[in-house]
Amino acid sequence: MSNEHYLFTSESVSEGHPDKVCDQISDAVLDACLAKDPESHVACECFTTTGMVLVGGEISTKFKELDIQSIARDVARKIGYTDAAYGLDADSMAVMNVLHTQSPDINQGVVGKGRKEFKGQQGAGDQGMMFGFACNETPELMPAPVMFAHKILLNAASLRKSKKIDWMRPDAKSQVTIEYEGHKPVRIDTIVVSQQHDPDVSDKVIQDTIINKVIKPVLEPTGLLDKKTKYYINPTGRFVTGGPHGDSGLTGRKIIVDTYGGMGRHGGGAFSGKDPSKVDRSAAYMARYIAKNIVAAGLAERAEVQLAYAIGVPYPVSIMVDTFGTGKLPDSVISKAVTETFDCTPSGIITTLKLKRPVYSPTAAYGHFGRSEFAWEKTNMATALKKAVK
């Protein structure tokens, strides 16, 4: 790309957003199953609206004491839905459970009992393509717009939960527009924050608090704010009715928030509520792991990795690396090194990233990538990649 100036925008949503409530319940169900039975197969979906949560999908697990009522209520309580005035109250909301067992036709391919030519190897849980992305814009090797949008809302949630700002309610959204010169962020052009609030707080207090206590402490250290940066705080003028009362929620409806904020392609598959046999999730994590190690190894300034699978087949049907012209070597050379260095079979991904553990609930809000606590964020394969390209 040339050094042309352009704007790029990404958004985030808080843990109290109705879609994220559903993601967190789905992943809490998954973690509960994996904690007792690491071989559990889970595809858990959730729907929420005023005063109710519905949990459905397919589960095969040896854990027979799965308490969906308690799981859903604990998630809502942790988020902060503890008052009927918010439209969802952890203690009084209705929780409906319509889960059932997994299809045996799907299961036989996943557990290695499908076609004889695959010799009992674990197959992919579905067909599809998954993408991973990394760039050197931030210390996390993530695109700056989505990382900044997440950090704004993480700060808001911390202030809300600590009661340092007592008028905040759980639902919120953020959006950050950055001006680029080529691939380099040069300034923050626009910041949008919509924060749910109590009805008796003034607009002036909301504006001043969000800008000075939520946004600036997070973004001033970047050096990208300037006098021309525009702030739109609760641009409709009022945000009292929110959460599942303001809008219904569904699992898997924030896939761009969950990944790279639109910078880089997306295969279309959602993550939350799916065990790691589903390559929608596990292969997307592996693709991020590979992309991040490519950038960490200094082989490119930005990298996108595509993995593609056929259901029941125990190896990827394709692996592709695109460095957008920033690679120190041809993309074909890096792709060959990736194929030699990383085991991208479904079982290999699960083993490499240790995915049969109850590690998923924290992923369900504020992004699945760019957070050091996750195994797919390690850069421990950078040295091996550098050796593989020589």
Side-chain angles (χ1 to χ4, degrees):
M1 179 180 286
S2 69
N3 289 329
E4 181 181 355
H5 283 246
Y6 61 95
L7 300 176
F8 193 91
T9 302
S10 296
E11 70 163 347
S12 181
V13 298
S14 74
E15 63 206 76
H17 186 283
D19 294 333
K20 281 288 145 199
V21 173
C22 293
D23 285 344
Q24 289 166 92
I25 293 172
S26 293
D27 271 339
V29 171
L30 170 61
D31 277 351
C33 292
L34 293 176
K36 298 295 184 180
D37 176 13
E39 302 303 320
S40 297
H41 288 169
V42 178
C44 180
E45 310 287 343
C46 184
F47 167 78
T48 184
T49 187
T50 305
M52 66 83 69
V53 166
L54 184 148
V55 182
E58 303 81 45
I59 292 182
S60 295
T61 182
K62 295 177 182 176
F63 181 38
K64 303 303 182 184
E65 299 175 6
L66 190 62
D67 187 348
I68 298 299
Q69 288 273 341
S70 294
I71 291 170
R73 295 186 194 282
D74 287 347
V75 169
R77 190 175 297 109
K78 182 179 178 182
I79 293 169
Y81 283 113
T82 56
D83 189 330
Y86 298 170
L88 191 73
D89 171 40
D91 295 317
S92 64
M93 67 186 189
V95 180
M96 287 170 274
N97 177 6
V98 291
L99 290 163
H100 58 86
T101 57
Q102 185 185 47
S103 160
D105 294 345
I106 295 174
N107 186 64
Q108 70 175 7
V110 173
V111 300
K113 295 181 180 179
R115 294 187 180 275
K116 292 180 181 179
E117 61 262 37
F118 300 139
K119 300 178 182 179
Q121 300 176 76
Q122 178 178 346
D126 201 353
Q127 71 174 41
M129 63 284 188
M130 299 82 209
F131 289 93
F133 183 84
C135 60
N136 61 3
E137 295 176 16
T138 63
E140 299 87 358
L141 302 187
M142 283 286 287
V146 72
M147 276 311 295
F148 294 170
H150 288 324
K151 288 181 177 182
I152 288 169
L153 294 185
L154 278 165
N155 188 34
S158 176
L159 293 168
R160 172 176 62 85
K161 290 181 174 182
S162 67
K163 306 295 184 183
K164 290 180 180 177
I165 302 177
D166 60 6
W167 48 261
M168 284 183 171
R169 292 184 175 184
D171 197 359
K173 299 179 80 172
S174 65
Q175 186 171 284
V176 176
T177 300
I178 291 182
E179 182 179 344
Y180 280 80
E181 182 180 331
H183 290 311
K184 182 182 178 182
V186 294
R187 60 180 294 272
I188 297 173
D189 183 81
T190 307
I191 301 167
V192 183
V193 175
S194 295
Q195 174 65 58
Q196 188 187 16
H197 57 87
D198 289 344
D200 56 353
V201 62
S202 72
D203 184 60
K204 185 178 186 308
V205 168
I206 294 170
Q207 298 270 336
D208 290 347
T209 302
I210 297 297
I211 291 172
N212 295 308
K213 293 187 178 181
V214 175
I215 296 172
K216 287 188 174 180
V218 170
L219 296 187
E220 278 186 334
T222 69
L224 297 175
L225 294 176
D226 61 26
K227 293 180 180 179
K228 294 183 178 180
T229 299
K230 299 180 285 292
Y231 300 90
Y232 297 107
I233 312 302
N234 285 13
T236 67
R238 180 178 169 87
F239 187 11
V240 174
T241 302
H245 186 45
D247 189 11
S248 61
L250 286 170
T251 298
R253 203 159 58 175
K254 286 291 176 284
I255 59 175
I256 301 303
V257 171
D258 285 343
T259 52
Y260 309 102
M263 190 174 289
R265 286 166 281 196
H266 196 294
F271 300 156
S272 290
K274 297 179 181 178
D275 75 85
S277 72
K278 280 76 171 173
V279 285
D280 273 351
R281 183 171 213 163
S282 57
Y285 290 171
M286 191 64 166
R288 162 64 177 172
Y289 181 53
I290 296 169
K292 189 172 183 181
N293 276 273
I294 290 170
V295 175
L299 300 178
E301 295 177 10
R302 48 206 300 122
E304 184 176 76
V305 175
Q306 186 202 54
L307 304 176
Y309 296 84
I311 188 168
V313 178
Y315 42 79
V317 298
S318 68
I319 299 175
M320 181 276 294
V321 175
D322 185 353
T323 62
F324 307 96
T326 70
K328 304 300 187 290
L329 296 162
D331 289 350
S332 59
V333 174
I334 299 174
S335 292
K336 185 174 183 293
V338 164
T339 303
E340 295 171 353
T341 305
F342 295 90
D343 184 351
C344 293
T345 63
S347 61
I349 293 170
I350 290 169
T351 299
T352 299
L353 301 180
K354 300 177 181 178
L355 294 179
K356 289 186 178 180
R357 301 173 295 145
V359 297
Y360 298 100
S361 290
T363 70
Y366 309 114
H368 292 244
F369 306 121
R371 298 163 60 184
S372 60
E373 65 264 37
F374 302 139
W376 49 91
E377 291 297 314
K378 293 181 179 179
T379 54
N380 56 326
M381 296 300 290
T383 300
L385 265 178
K386 283 191 277 190
K387 289 181 179 178
V389 299
K390 290 182 180 179

